[in-house]
C-alpha cells in the first residue's frame, strides 16, 4: 500500500510543490533568497551590536551525581544585546542550557521540572533511547510538573544535544532558548590526546531576531498558541539577522596559540551555515553527529544544517599572537554572514595535545545485507490542504496524524533513499545513518542529513535499539511544526 502511494507521490508531490512555491511570488522560500537557507529573513527592530565585541560565554558544565542530573526549564531575563534584557525560556534559565557531560555506556537519568507556563517535552537528540523516554512529541510535561527521563546511552561517544520537542511548538520553544549540548565521552576517546579541559569548547550557533523591546521576535501565526505554525511569509523557515554563539551576538574568544577542540552545533531553527576561517587557518574535522571519524580530515568549510554537529580541532599554534581569526558563514552576507572571532592573545605555556592519524574504527555495513529499501520524500503538499489554507510540509504525502509510515524490524539493515523538493535536514530518532565521511575518507555516523533542493541521499540504517514508536522529521523547526514529521515503529 505504501509502495504505490509512494510511487505516485514521488512525482506528483514534487510537481505540486514546485507549482505552489512558484505561485507564491515571495522567492524567499527558496535558497534563491541569498541567505543560503530556506526561509525568510526576519529583521530585528533594535540596533544590533558591532560584531566581535562581546566575549564568548561558555555554558556551565553539569555532570551526573549518582547517575542523575536535575534540570529546571524556566523563564528568565538575560543580557544578550549589551545593556538590554531579553526574556528567554532556558534550562536552568540560561541559553544555551548547561553542557551535560556524560559517559557512553553509563545510564543517565535527567529529571526535568517544568517551571514555565508552556507544555514541554525533552528530547536527547542523537540519543539511542527507549521510546517512553525519547521525548515523543505528545508526551508533554505540563507547567508545574516534572518527570524523569532514563537514557541508557548504549552508544558511541558523540556530541549530542537536548532540546524541547513539544508537538506543534518545537520551533518557538527552541527559539525561546530550550536547547543545550550533551557531550558523551568514553575512555578510548579520552585517551586519544585531543585538546581537553578549557580547550574543549562547545559552540552552539543559532540565529535570532529581536523586536523593539529586545525580546526574541518569532512570527507565530497565533500568538495565543491556539493553533501552530508561523505567519505565511515564514512558512519556509524563520531566519534571524543576529548570529549568536553560546547565546552571545558575534562573540570573540581569546585563545592561546595552541590547539583547541570545538563541538560545533547548529541549533538554529532554519539557518544553514558554511563555516570558514580566515588567516589561512583550517579546521581538522575529527567527528560528526555520531562520534569520531576514522581519520581526521582537513577542511576549509564546515557545513552544518539545523541539528548537525561537527567535532573539529583548530590549531592556532602557528598564528602570530595578536591575530584575529574570523569565522564566517560563507552562505550569507552582512550580519548573518558573520559568526565569531578568535583572538590569539598569548603563546601557549604548553600544548601536548595531538590529533592521531587513526581516531576510531567504524565497521562498514554490508550493502548486500540490506533487507528493505525505503523511499522517503520530503516535500510540500498540495495547496489548501494545511495551515492557513497553505500547503503542509510532509513525508511521502503523509504527516504525523496519519499513523506509521513504516515498521522496521530490529536486527535488520535498511537502505533509505531520501529525496526532497527544497532544503530539508532529515533526522530520525533512535536510528543512526552510516554514510561516507565528510571529505570522503572512510565512514561516519550521522543522525541528521541535509538534503539539498531537488537532492537525494542514500543511507544505510541498522535497525538497532528499542521497540516502540518514534518520529522521523525535518529539523527545519518550522517545517517540523508544520507537519513534516511522521511516525515509524520498531518491532
Ligand atoms: Cu533534534 Cu526530533 O529532534
Ligand atoms: Cu524541511
Amino acid at each position: 500500500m505504501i509502495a504505490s502511494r509512494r510511487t505516485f507521490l514521488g512525482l506528483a508531490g514534487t510537481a505540486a510543490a514546485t507549482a505552489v512555491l512558484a505561485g507564491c511570488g515571495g522567492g524567499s522560500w527558496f535558497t534563491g533568497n541569498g541567505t543560503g537557507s530556506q526561509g525568510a529573513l526576519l529583521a530585528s527592530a533594535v540596533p544590533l551590536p558591532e560584531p566581535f565585541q562581546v566575549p564568548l560565554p561558555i555554558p556551565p558544565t553539569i555532570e551526573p551525581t549518582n547517575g542523575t542530573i536535575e534540570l529546571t526549564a524556566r523563564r528568565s531575563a538575560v543580557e544578550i544585546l549589551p545593556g538590554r534584557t531579553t526574556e528567554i525560556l532556558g534550562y536552568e534559565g540560561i541559553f544555551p542550557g548547561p553542557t551535560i557531560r556524560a559517559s557512553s555506556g553509563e545510564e543517565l537519568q535527567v529529571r526535568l521540572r517544568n517551571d514555565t507556563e508552556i507544555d514541554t517535552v525533552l528530547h536527547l537528540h542523537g540519543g539511542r533511547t527507549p521510546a517512553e523516554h525519547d521525548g515523543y512529541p505528545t508526551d508533554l510535561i505540563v507547567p508545574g510538573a516534572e518527570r524523569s527521563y532514563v537514557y541508557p546511552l548504549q552508544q558511541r561517544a558523540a556530541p549530542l544535544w537536548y532540546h524541547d520537542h513539544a508537538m506543534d511548538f518545537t520551533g518557538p520553544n527552541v527559539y525561546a532558548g530550550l536547547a543545550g549540548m550533551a557531550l558523551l565521552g568514553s575512555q578510548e576517546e579520552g585517551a586519544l590526546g585531543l585538546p581537553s579541559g578549557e580547550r574543549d569548547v562547545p559552540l552552539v550557533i543559532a540565529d535570532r531576531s529581536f523586536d523593539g523591546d529586545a525580546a526574541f521576535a518569532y512570527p507565530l501565526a497565533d500568538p495565543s498558541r491556539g493553533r501552530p505554525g508561523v505567519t505565511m511569509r515564514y512558512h519556509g523557515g524563520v531566519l534571524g539577522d543576529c548570529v549568536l554563539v553560546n547565546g552571545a551576538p558575534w562573540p570573540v574568544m581569546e585563545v592561546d596559540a595552541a590547539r583547541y577542540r570545538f563541538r560545533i552545533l547548529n541549533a538554529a531553527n532554519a539557518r544553514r551555515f558554511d563555516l570558514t576561517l580566515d588567516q589561512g587557518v583550517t579546521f581538522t574535522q575529527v567527528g560528526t553527529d555520531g562520534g569520531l571519524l576514522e581519520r581526521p580530515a582537513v577542511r576549509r568549510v564546515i557545513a552544518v544544517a539545523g541539528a548537525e554537529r561537527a567535532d573539529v580541532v583548530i590549531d592556532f599554534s602557528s598564528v602570530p599572537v595578536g591575530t584575529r581569526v574570523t569565522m564566517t558563514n560563507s552562505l550569507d552576507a552582512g550580519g548573518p554572514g558573520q559568526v565569531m572571532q578568535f583572538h590569539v592573545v598569548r603563546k601557549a605555556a604548553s600544548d601536548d595535545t595531538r590529533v592521531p592519524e587513526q581516531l576510531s574504527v567504524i565497521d562498514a555495513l554490508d550493502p548486500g545485507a540490506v533487507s528493505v529499501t525505503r523511499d522517503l520524500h520530503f516535500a510540500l503538499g498540495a495547496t489548501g490542504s494545511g495551515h492557513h489554507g497553505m500547503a503542509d510540509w510532509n513525508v511521502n504525502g503523509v504527516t504525523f496524524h496519519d499513523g506509521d509510515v513504516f515498521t522496521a524490524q530490529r536486527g535488520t539493515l535498511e537502505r533509505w533513499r531520501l529525496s526532497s523538493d527544497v532544503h530539508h535536514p532529515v533526522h530520525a530518532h533512535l536510528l543512526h545513518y552510516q554514510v561516507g565521511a565528510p571529505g570522503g575518507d572512510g565512514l561516519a555516523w550521522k543522525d541528521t542529513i541535509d538534503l539539498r533542493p531537488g537532492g537525494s541521499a542514500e543511507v544505510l540504517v541498522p535497525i538497532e535499539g528499542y521497540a516502540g514508536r518514534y518520529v522521523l522529521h525535518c529539523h527545519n523547526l518550522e517545517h517540523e511544526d508544520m507537519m513534516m514529521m511522521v511516525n515509524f515503529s520498531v518491532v
Side-chain angles (χ1 to χ4, degrees):
M1 174 202 79
I2 288 178
S4 60
R5 183 154 55 173
R6 186 164 58 229
T7 310
F8 171 70
L9 284 158
L11 296 168
T14 307
T18 308
V20 171
L21 288 165
C24 176
S28 56
W29 284 12
F30 277 120
T31 49
N33 60 8
T35 66
S37 300
Q38 200 166 3
L41 187 73
L42 176 57
S44 288
V46 280
L48 297 173
E50 283 293 304
F52 320 134
Q53 306 297 317
V54 181
L56 175 79
I58 310 289
T61 293
I62 181 167
E63 285 180 27
T65 314
N66 298 324
T68 303
I69 280 176
E70 304 204 5
L71 288 177
T72 301
R74 58 184 170 84
R75 186 171 284 279
S76 68
V78 299
E79 181 176 321
I80 295 174
L81 302 177
R84 309 290 307 254
T85 51
T86 300
E87 280 217 346
I88 61 158
L89 297 179
Y91 297 108
E92 301 299 290
I94 55 175
F95 171 63
T99 301
I100 294 176
R101 292 232 180 216
S103 300
S104 152
E106 286 178 27
E107 183 181 283
L108 170 70
Q109 204 176 121
V110 175
R111 191 173 316 144
L112 178 65
R113 194 181 153 69
N114 180 7
D115 271 354
T116 73
E117 72 293 352
I118 56 155
D119 296 339
T120 191
V121 172
L122 182 66
H123 173 57
L124 178 65
H125 181 121
R128 178 154 279 163
T129 307
E132 62 271 35
H133 294 287
D134 189 51
Y136 189 74
T138 54
D139 278 349
L140 301 168
I141 310 179
V142 299
E146 64 175 50
R147 72 156 286 179
S148 284
Y149 294 87
V150 181
Y151 303 115
L153 302 182
Q154 297 295 323
Q155 57 187 102
R156 306 178 83 212
L160 310 185
W161 63 300
Y162 61 99
H163 61 79
D164 171 89
H165 214 300
M167 187 70 202
D168 292 335
F169 294 98
T170 297
N173 294 353
V174 170
Y175 196 91
L178 290 172
M181 281 209 100
L183 303 175
L184 296 194
S186 69
Q187 260 173 22
E188 305 79 79
E189 191 190 279
L192 290 174
L194 295 170
S196 62
E198 294 194 336
R199 294 192 189 146
D200 177 6
V201 180
L203 298 179
V204 178
I205 304 176
D207 57 339
R208 293 290 184 270
S209 291
F210 297 85
D211 70 13
D213 298 323
F216 283 152
Y218 189 83
L220 278 174
D222 176 359
S224 72
R225 294 189 174 217
R227 63 191 166 91
V230 288
T231 55
M232 196 159 85
R233 176 176 149 81
Y234 301 96
H235 192 262
V238 177
L239 303 175
D241 56 3
C242 183
V243 176
L244 306 181
V245 184
N246 294 350
W250 303 291
V252 55
M253 179 191 185
E254 293 194 344
V255 294
D256 302 340
R259 271 188 211 95
Y260 283 76
R261 181 179 187 184
F262 295 102
R263 319 292 191 109
I264 297 171
L265 159 66
N266 180 348
N269 280 35
R271 187 176 284 283
R272 300 165 60 251
F273 293 88
D274 272 8
L275 302 171
T276 55
L277 300 168
D278 63 3
Q279 306 293 340
V281 180
T282 53
F283 301 95
T284 299
Q285 187 165 8
V286 296
T288 53
D289 309 343
L292 291 169
L293 297 171
E294 300 187 272
R295 285 173 291 283
V298 175
R299 327 253 350 251
R300 302 196 63 81
V301 180
I302 294 286
V304 276
E308 286 190 298
R309 284 88 72 207
D311 192 348
V312 303
V313 171
I314 302 178
D315 187 354
F316 298 105
S317 62
S318 53
V319 177
V321 170
T323 308
R324 290 173 178 266
V325 178
T326 306
M327 182 190 276
T328 53
N329 169 20
S330 63
L331 292 176
D332 207 341
Q338 306 294 321
V339 180
M340 67 173 291
Q341 208 167 56
F342 302 97
H343 186 196
V344 183
V345 291
R346 64 185 89 77
K347 287 215 152 6
S350 69
D351 186 3
D352 53 6
T353 64
R354 55 196 203 101
V355 181
E357 271 316 299
Q358 186 77 35
L359 294 162
S360 71
V361 175
I362 297 178
D363 292 326
L365 296 166
D366 171 14
V370 166
S371 56
V372 182
T373 296
R374 301 191 192 282
D375 290 306
L376 297 164
H377 186 63
F378 291 73
L380 194 66
T383 319
S385 58
H387 294 83
H388 13 279
M390 303 271 306
D392 272 335
W393 298 102
N394 65 64
V395 183
N396 289 355
V398 303
T399 68
F400 186 82
H401 303 290
D402 295 316
D404 290 345
V405 280
F406 60 82
T407 299
Q409 191 80 40
R410 271 185 297 169
T412 63
L413 178 63
E414 300 197 349
R415 174 188 290 112
W416 291 2
R417 298 195 296 216
L418 309 169
S419 59
S420 69
D421 56 353
V422 294
H423 269 290
H424 299 294
V426 172
H427 169 54
H429 287 213
L430 182 74
L431 306 175
H432 295 165
Y433 317 132
Q434 188 174 90
V435 297
D441 181 19
L443 297 167
W445 288 104
K446 299 268 304 157
D447 56 52
T448 307
I449 294 274
D450 186 33
L451 298 177
R452 308 277 160 141
S456 59
E458 265 195 35
V459 295
L460 292 176
V461 191
I463 311 301
E464 285 171 3
Y466 308 92
R469 178 176 256 196
Y470 292 90
V471 289
L472 165 72
H473 62 88
C474 176
H475 220 290
N476 173 315
L477 300 183
E478 282 71 48
H479 297 186
E480 174 183 343
D481 284 345
M482 292 182 290
M483 300 286 106
M484 194 171 255
M485 175 165 72
V486 291
N487 288 280
F488 66 94
S489 283
V490 170
V491 293

